[in-house]
Amino acid sequence: MHESRLVPLGAAWLAALLILAGAAFAQTQPPPDIPATGTFGRWTTIVDIQDTGQDARKTCAASTAFVDPAGNPGTLTLAISNGDALPPDAYPAVTIAVANKDLPMGKKIAATFGDTGGQVSATVYSDNAVAGRLGWTVVNQTKTSLALLRAMRRASALDVVFGKQPVASISMDGFSKAYRNLGASCGFATADVAP
């Protein structure tokens, strides 16, 4: 007799659990104004849309985290907006943020990016600290930026040096897919970097 009562009670319990789970799932869906994100290997992308009243501007970014040889956390980020010049006229801005005060600071710092397959020379400049991390931005020149992005696609790990000081060896796992996501999101072709 107890068994026959447990079956209906068990079925009612399961139905209530499914209803609660459905309600919880519906509540966890992000509102439409929350930026869209994606994960590709070690890279995360984010697409944020700002309605200007006249049109919708998209800012598309891809970022990966790393730890430098001294144990300092850092990020390598690409960012572009569909309101900017887009590839092949201009490429996403490349920035590095790391909590390492021993790296060179200034407006014209020689930098190299690459691996054993080749190096790309560029100029970086330091920015103000954000959340305790200093920032460096690659001077965005079309040919240099294209070469750097191609080196990122080719390398399994990108070795970064500012002046003569190593910054980090940064995993590029997922870079090509993340870059293609930026192109699809912000409306530019990616075949010249990540076919």
Side-chain angles (χ1 to χ4, degrees):
M1 193 166 218
H2 289 280
E3 288 181 22
S4 63
R5 289 184 187 171
L6 289 178
V7 173
L9 183 60
W13 173 251
L14 181 60
L17 183 62
L18 290 174
I19 290 169
L20 288 173
F25 178 73
Q27 291 176 356
T28 61
Q29 296 298 321
D33 60 341
I34 298 292
T37 61
T39 301
F40 305 91
R42 297 191 49 140
W43 286 80
T44 300
T45 60
I46 186 167
V47 179
D48 190 19
I49 301 173
Q50 297 293 321
D51 188 352
T52 65
Q54 295 177 346
D55 59 3
R57 297 282 181 188
K58 289 183 183 178
T59 300
C60 304
S63 189
T64 189
F66 63 88
V67 176
D68 74 7
N72 298 307
T75 56
L76 169 62
T77 302
L78 310 175
I80 195 164
S81 168
N82 68 348
D84 298 336
L86 296 171
D89 298 318
Y91 290 89
V94 178
T95 59
I96 292 179
V98 62
N100 184 343
K101 295 179 181 174
D102 295 330
L103 292 172
M105 302 293 291
K107 295 186 181 197
K108 291 186 179 182
I109 303 162
T112 57
F113 300 84
D115 62 0
T116 56
Q119 300 288 319
V120 175
S121 296
T123 302
V124 298
Y125 58 91
S126 56
D127 298 321
N128 294 327
V130 176
R133 293 185 183 172
L134 299 173
W136 290 264
T137 302
V138 176
V139 174
N140 201 348
Q141 297 175 337
T142 305
K143 287 182 183 179
T144 302
S145 295
L146 177 58
L148 174 54
L149 292 167
R150 286 177 173 168
M152 292 170 77
R153 180 204 66 221
R154 181 192 72 242
S156 58
L158 187 74
D159 297 324
V160 180
V161 177
F162 292 167
K164 295 184 187 250
Q165 188 167 356
V167 176
S169 185
I170 305 168
S171 174
M172 292 293 110
D173 176 39
F175 169 79
S176 293
K177 289 181 180 179
Y179 189 79
R180 286 186 206 113
N181 180 268
L182 293 188
S185 299
C186 265
F188 61 88
T190 60
D192 55 350
V193 171

